[in-house]
């Protein structure tokens, strides 16, 4: 098997996907306003997850046919062009996605540290970790995702347990269900994270339980989101809406016995999750860049991918967070659409056009 | 091309002398058996004339019951097939075969007029007796350990695995030493792919000399650098036998009491034979302690330095004041102190290992006085850091198989924590986990069954299930093998 076509297993891909999304959950983009209460955010999360699944799950089987397979001979020109276009789009998307992850992690570390390192040093460190992750490959990342997920869940559980003493039921009074407010909250919070395109890109072609892992990952994310939002609502009450990093605030407030502050512990674990996310994008970038390059230049795929990731980091560092998120959402939607379209063309064309599965 | 023996006894003797030079321990003696000239060749110290006399010469010195042999070939056939002398079934036909036999302690008998030689096992060499191994101590279980002699080691395993499936293949390694090695496996349980991979790598291994099984480790593993090894070592025959029953391979090398286990997984570093003799709940608890010890040994100094310098609020207030006051009183930055203490501990360990036993106790005295008392009293080192380093050293000894990677990683974590703080520690930890998960010798991930989330991890990896559960699971390493074959040099 070509090293550039190396895939995650379905289980491993699900874990990497979930870990990347959880990193986004705890390390929020700065400047993102929150006008909703916990009573609105929880049903909105359920709604958003269901809609995301409904929109993207049907594309999954079609995306399997797509662009990783270097179709040779007899392929209609339009499919080849679409394939190159999609790979280019994915390269840009993964570079921006990885860069945004690195910039967001850097910003978070600057926010939580009393004596932060220079941004440049943090970016170099994270890029170095991504370079090493590219060298190790997707299968190593899939295996590493398991222990890192366990650490993350332990951290989330500790956040909840350490704040148990501060939870007040009066902070979260029962409210009549406001469908319009819930829908508005869902709409405001809805986005296509770049991790979706990553999942589809790495989807192993012959695994039948991929959809199950995809659903489990999204619902797992929803469950963690609900647990943390509920905790934040019970502890912070109306103050939750004013927090730029509400989960970090919870971590900051939580204490256990003589340990008055545990946030540094959680910051370390969340940094690992952010690293796993950036590393996953780096691997995707390497594969996409490698498939774009001509055969004789493919040994430069790693270097080109690292350069692209660094460029993506610089680009995201110069953009406001909201703008970077907006660009990523648009790119992801385009990439998903293109993958679906190409996959549908392959399905329609069938094996006679020389498509090879990985 | 191997030089064959000739029918001329004189030429064969001359060829042997040319091969071995004027070495004084080569013993050659011309004798006559039934009137035909013959020559005994052996190495003094490896073979015994007395045993040779008892086994052979005494029998041949008596007149035969039937007609004596009439020609050299008849003598050869008579001795080989029609006497009760315990000769080796295979004769030797070339000089290399003679070399191989007499350097193994056998005696070779050349007969004038025959271009073959008889071999008789008259070994009588000095070797260490089978005793308790130096490491891998157990409360219960066998007290036997491997020794330097290959044949004895093979017999120790054979005694424990009495099924007919145990297979022993011998090979020669080392161009100059021509050391004999043996590959042991259970041919029903071993994976064919694994066996072929290991065999191929051993055949391609090119070393001038081999004195320990560890010399071959770099050749049987993948060539990519890693702090950890995909092969393990054991001095215990019962451990080797247990690994054979899991479908693994055991490599024994003549001259080394350490058997190499192929493949070896990360979780096996935390297992011991005692685990299976104790109750499951206690064995599980001890295993969890071992995992915790490993993490403490690697992470504690680096995390301590990072927390003390960058995130002191993580410590309880009383502890934070003590650490801060200790740090204020010492001249060096905390991470340099940590490096210095670890450096001193390593020097003490190395000195204790190399020093002759009669003065070995002086090392502990000097260490206790200098580090434990004088350096702290003088304010050169802080007490909290000495305590952390001592605890770390103790944790390191809980998992001795991982000593080398633990020491190096610890130093890296101290540097990362001291210079870069929590970010450095997190990045290094991520890279460490990734590096361990990347290792994939023999087509089986090093972190299996942990990172592959196989049921075996909970059954006998992190925890230890009861024997009723373990006995039902017919586990072999082939179960963990990846569906996609491993490619040589594939990143």
């Amino acid at each position: 098997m070509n090293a550039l076509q190396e895939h995650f297993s379905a289980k491993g891909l699900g874990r990497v996907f979930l870990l990347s999304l959880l990193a986004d959950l705890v390390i929020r983009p700065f400047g993102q306003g929150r006008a909703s209460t916990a009573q609105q955010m929880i049903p909105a999360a359920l709604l958003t997850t269901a809609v995301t699944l409904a929109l993207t799950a049907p594309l999954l089987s079609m995306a399997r046919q797509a662009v990783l397979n270097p179709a040779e001979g007899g392929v209609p020109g339009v499919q080849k062009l679409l394939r190159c276009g999609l790979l280019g789009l994915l390269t840009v998307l993964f570079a921006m996605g990885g860069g945004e992850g690195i910039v967001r992690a850097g910003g978070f570390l600057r926010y939580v540290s009393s004596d932060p390192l220079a941004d440049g040093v943090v970016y170099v460190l994270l890029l170095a970790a991504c370079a090493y992750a590219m060298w190790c490959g997707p299968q190593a990342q899939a295996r590493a995702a398991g222990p890192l997920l366990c650490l993350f869940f332990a951290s989330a559980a500790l956040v909840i347990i350490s704040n148990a003493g501060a939870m007040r039921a009066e902070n979260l009074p029962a409210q009549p269900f406001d469908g319009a407010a819930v829908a508005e909250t869902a709409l405001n919070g809805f986005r296509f994270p770049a991790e979706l395109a990553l999942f589809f890109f790495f989807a192993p072609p012959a695994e039948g339980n991929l959809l199950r892992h995809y659903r489990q990952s999204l619902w797992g994310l929803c469950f963690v989101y609900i647990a943390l939002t509920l905790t934040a609502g019970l502890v912070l009450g109306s103050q939750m809406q004013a927090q730029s990093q509400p989960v970090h605030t919870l971590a900051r407030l939580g204490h256990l016995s003589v340990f008055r502050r545990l946030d540094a512990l959680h910051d370390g674990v969340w940094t690992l999750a952010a690293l796993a996310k950036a590393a996953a994008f780096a691997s995707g970038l390497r594969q996409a860049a490698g498939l774009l390059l001509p055969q004789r230049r493919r040994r430069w795929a790693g270097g080109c991918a690292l350069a692209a990731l660094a460029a993506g980091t610089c680009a995201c560092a110069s953009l406001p967070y909201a703008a970077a998120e907006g660009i990523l959402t648009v790119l992801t939607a385009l990439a998903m659409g293109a993958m679906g379209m190409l996959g549908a063309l392959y399905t329609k064309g069938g094996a006679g056009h020389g498509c090879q599965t990985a | 091309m191997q030089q064959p023996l000739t029918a001329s006894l004189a030429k064969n003797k001359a060829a042997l002398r040319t091969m071995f030079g004027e070495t004084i321990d080569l013993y050659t003696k011309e004798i006559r058996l039934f009137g035909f000239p013959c020559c005994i060749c052996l190495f003094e110290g490896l073979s015994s004339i007395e045993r040779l006399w008892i086994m052979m010469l005494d029998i041949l010195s008596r007149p035969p019951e039937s007609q004596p042999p009439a020609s050299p070939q008849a003598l050869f056939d008579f001795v080989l097939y029609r006497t009760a002398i315990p000769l080796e079934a295979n004769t030797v036909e070339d000089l290399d075969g003679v070399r191989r036999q007499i350097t193994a302690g056998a005696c070779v008998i050349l007969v004038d007029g025959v271009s073959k030689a008889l071999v008789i096992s008259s070994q009588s060499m000095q070797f260490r007796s089978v005793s308790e191994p130096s490491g891998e101590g157990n409360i219960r279980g066998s007290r036997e350990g491997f020794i330097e002699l290959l044949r004895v080691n093979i017999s120790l395993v054979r005694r424990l695995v009495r099924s007919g499936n145990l297979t022993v293949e011998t090979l020669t390694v080392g161009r100059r030493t021509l050391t004999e090695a043996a590959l042991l496996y259970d041919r029903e349980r071993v994976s064919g792919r694994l066996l072929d991979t290991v065999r191929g790598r051993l055949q391609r291994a090119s070393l001038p000399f081999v004195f320990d099984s560890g010399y071959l480790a770099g050749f049987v593993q993948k060539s990519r650098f890693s702090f950890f090894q995909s092969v393990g070592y054991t001095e215990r025959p019962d451990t080797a036998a247990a690994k054979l029953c899991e479908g693994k391979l055991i490599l024994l090398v003549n001259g080394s009491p350490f058997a190499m286990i192929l493949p070896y997984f990360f979780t096996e570093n935390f297992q011991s034979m005692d685990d299976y003799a104790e109750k499951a709940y206690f064995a599980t608890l001890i295993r969890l302690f071992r995992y915790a010890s490993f993490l403490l040994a690697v992470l504690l100094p680096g995390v301590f330095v990072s927390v003390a310098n960058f995130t002191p609020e993580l410590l309880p207030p009383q502890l934070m004041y003590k650490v801060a006051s200790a740090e204020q009183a010492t001249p060096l930055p905390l991470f340099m102190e940590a490096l210095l203490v670890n450096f001193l501990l390593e020097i003490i360990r190395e000195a204790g290992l190399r020093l002759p036993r009669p003065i070995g106790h002086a090392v502990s005295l000097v260490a206790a006085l200098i580090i434990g008392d004088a350096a702290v009293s003088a304010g050169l080192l802080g007490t909290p850091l000495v305590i952390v380093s001592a605890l770390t050293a103790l944790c390191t000894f809980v998992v001795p198989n991982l000593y080398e990677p633990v020491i190096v990683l610890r130093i890296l974590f101290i540097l990362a924590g001291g210079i870069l703080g929590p970010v450095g520690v997190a990045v290094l930890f991520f890279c460490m986990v990734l590096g361990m998960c990347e290792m994939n010798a023999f087509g089986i991930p090093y972190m299996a069954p942990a990172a592959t989330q196989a049921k075996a991890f909970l059954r006998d990896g992190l925890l230890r299930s009861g024997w009723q559960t373990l006995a039902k699971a017919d586990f072999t390493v082939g179960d963990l093998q990846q569906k996609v074959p491993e490619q040589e040099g594939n990143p």
Side-chain angles (χ1 to χ4, degrees), chain A residues 134 285-286 289 293 297-310:
Chain A
M134 271 196 270
L285 186 52
R286 182 175 183 266
L293 289 170
R297 299 264 185 255
R298 277 194 184 160
R299 61 199 168 101
W300 298 107
C304 293
L306 189 61
L309 185 62

Side-chain angles (χ1 to χ4, degrees), chain A residues 1 3 6 15 109 114 117 125 132-133 135-136 139-141 143-144 146 148 151 258-259 261-262 264 272 275-276 279, chain B residues 224 310-311 313-314 316-317 420 423 426-427 429-431 433-435 437-440 445 451 453 482 487 490-491:
Chain A
M1 185 172 72
E6 198 179 345
R15 289 203 169 102
L109 290 166
S114 53
L117 292 173
L125 275 176
Y132 184 62
W135 184 80
C136 290
Q139 291 194 6
Q141 290 173 44
R143 288 182 213 128
L148 294 180
L151 275 176
V258 294
F259 294 94
R261 281 187 59 175
L262 296 169
L272 291 174
L275 270 169
Chain B
R224 289 152 72 103
F310 292 86
T311 55
E313 67 274 6
L314 189 59
L420 300 168
V423 179
V427 168
F429 183 77
F430 178 74
C431 292
V433 171
L434 209 55
C437 290
E438 187 269 336
M439 287 171 64
N440 186 7
Q453 280 84 44
Q482 290 179 275
Q487 292 185 23
N490 195 21

